[in-house]
Amino acid sequence: MTSLTLRTDHPNLRALQTVRFHILISLMLSSQTKDPVTSQAVTNLHLRLPLGLTATSLAGADPEVISECINKVGFWRRKTEYIQAAAKAILQGGLDEGEVVPDGWEESGLEGVEVEQGDVPRTLGGLCKLKGVGPKMAFLVLQCAWNM
């Protein structure tokens, strides 16, 4: 997987939040699923949800619509629940509170950048609070979404 280079002076940090969210959801769907199936499921979500694949659109979506979009991935019923719960938790915010920011944050070029409500957590503990995300997946999110 290619790592993402993020800049604090980027003119559209909301777009970066969406990219990080796509990475998280893609990784959550990829477990026990072939890459082309995961890719199609993410595309389906992007096309079917009213605002594309964002935390807001996924959190507010009918679970049946989500299920229809991802029904080819392994364990799709459980993943429907997990990805929607993750979107809601991310919108609620506070997942990184009390967690240690990982080594490498300074080198990532993001020192001083705070995770806003609605953004993917930037800590191992914050990510592992999401149902369906364990340490291995959390490390991948940190590497790919946060460039750590």
Side-chain angles (χ1 to χ4, degrees):
M1 203 170 275
T2 306
S3 109
L4 199 59
T5 302
L6 303 175
R7 297 180 11 215
T8 56
D9 62 340
H10 194 282
N12 192 352
L13 286 175
R14 288 281 177 221
L16 293 175
Q17 280 185 347
T18 300
V19 169
R20 289 190 287 266
F21 186 71
H22 284 195
I23 290 168
L24 172 65
I25 297 304
S26 296
L27 284 167
M28 291 178 75
L29 293 175
S30 72
S31 179
Q32 302 294 314
T33 305
K34 293 182 183 272
D35 291 344
V37 176
T38 300
S39 178
Q40 186 60 57
V42 171
T43 299
N44 292 344
L45 287 167
H46 183 70
L47 294 173
R48 290 280 312 271
L49 298 177
L51 301 172
L53 181 54
T54 65
T56 303
S57 64
L58 189 58
D62 183 334
E64 296 243 347
V65 171
I66 298 169
S67 292
E68 289 171 10
C69 291
I70 70 167
N71 65 11
K72 302 287 189 232
V73 304
F75 305 102
W76 61 271
R77 288 180 185 88
R78 181 68 61 200
K79 289 178 183 178
T80 295
E81 175 188 327
Y82 287 172
I83 65 173
Q84 190 165 45
K88 289 176 181 178
I90 286 169
L91 288 174
Q92 186 176 359
L95 292 167
D96 283 327
E97 287 180 19
E99 301 293 339
V100 177
V101 175
D103 291 337
W105 185 250
E106 296 81 19
E107 292 85 28
S108 70
L110 294 168
E111 186 175 17
V113 173
E114 292 299 318
V115 175
E116 296 179 16
Q117 187 172 337
D119 205 349
V120 171
R122 66 173 180 169
T123 63
L124 184 64
L127 286 161
C128 287
K129 289 176 186 174
L130 300 172
K131 286 183 179 179
V133 176
K136 181 178 178 180
M137 190 177 301
F139 278 116
L140 287 169
V141 172
L142 291 176
Q143 182 180 23
C144 297
W146 288 108
N147 201 29
M148 285 190 255

